[in-house]
Amino acid sequence: MSPTLPETDAALDAVMPVPRETRERLAVYVALLAKWQKSQNLVAPATMPKVWSRHVADSLQVHAALPDILRWADIGSGAGFPGLVTAICLAGRPGAIVHLVESNKGKAAFLRTVARETGAPAEVHADRIETVLPGLAGAVEGLSARALAPLVELCRMVHPLMRPGVRALFHKGQDFASELADATQSWDLDVVERPSRIDPAGRLILISGMSPKPLSGAGR
């Protein structure tokens, strides 16, 4: 895949076919992002000219990978990537809900505004991850995060929610191999690596099971 993508909604086509109604909702999202970016540090300013490819299409890969999952928790949501994109894709689906966990009050206000203006089935939790996630145990089927923390830390965060049938999907960059090696020192993971369709050096790490490894020497 060429790393050069159009900086319009056509960038979405590199990931999956997207209905017109969803494209229109995503365009509302992008317009609100541009407006709020002037007063809020929502994304790195240098990425704004490439918002459709760098943020929206990249985030779309979560829904494309697991389109049948309706109940999500997106942790460290920031400006809503990928969780708000997932929620917009699920608009109109009965039972769909994406819990957006973002402790920054300004970013949480932005997320609520976009959810309201797009009709996305999103619930914003303006609190810390460790405070919110315990209350979502048993309520979600999917977990996502992008540019939040090393994989070993993500495993620690989501482990209490990783019941049978729950899947976690994390965006990772060019250091994914070293992060995975580090994580597997502490965790037994049922993991699949998927190449990113947007970032040639990136991966999506799909985890369908995890358990902590016993401490070295435990029981001796």
Side-chain angles (χ1 to χ4, degrees), residues 9-183:
D9 65 348
L12 306 173
D13 298 332
V15 178
M16 66 179 292
V18 177
R20 177 180 57 82
E21 294 83 357
T22 302
R23 291 176 185 266
E24 290 173 351
R25 289 185 173 102
L26 290 171
V28 171
Y29 181 10
V30 169
L32 287 168
L33 178 68
K35 179 180 179 180
W36 281 62
Q37 178 72 11
K38 297 173 183 177
S39 59
Q40 297 279 340
N41 185 27
L42 295 171
V43 297
T47 67
M48 281 300 297
K50 297 183 177 181
V51 64
W52 278 105
S53 60
R54 176 68 179 85
H55 295 301
V56 184
D58 190 41
S59 296
L60 182 63
Q61 294 183 95
V62 172
H63 177 66
L66 298 170
D68 295 328
I69 290 184
L70 299 179
R71 296 179 290 120
W72 287 87
D74 183 64
I75 58 176
S77 295
F81 303 113
L84 199 46
V85 173
T86 301
I88 289 172
C89 290
L90 292 173
R93 296 272 296 273
I97 182 70
V98 179
H99 298 275
L100 305 173
V101 185
E102 174 53 54
S103 62
N104 181 284
K105 305 302 182 184
K107 291 179 179 178
F110 169 73
L111 296 174
R112 291 192 182 99
T113 299
V114 177
R116 182 179 65 250
E117 294 295 322
T118 61
E123 181 176 346
V124 180
H125 303 265
D127 211 333
R128 297 179 63 84
I129 293 169
E130 58 268 28
T131 300
V132 176
L133 288 191
L136 298 179
V140 298
E141 310 160 282
L143 298 153
S144 61
R146 179 175 178 260
L148 176 62
L151 184 59
V152 66
E153 284 298 307
L154 291 173
C155 290
R156 179 188 61 79
M157 292 177 191
V158 306
H159 176 246
L161 278 69
M162 288 295 294
R163 302 181 180 189
V166 175
R167 298 181 182 180
L169 190 60
F170 302 132
H171 282 75
K172 286 296 166 188
Q174 61 185 6
D175 295 329
F176 73 92
S178 61
E179 286 196 36
L180 183 58
D182 188 31

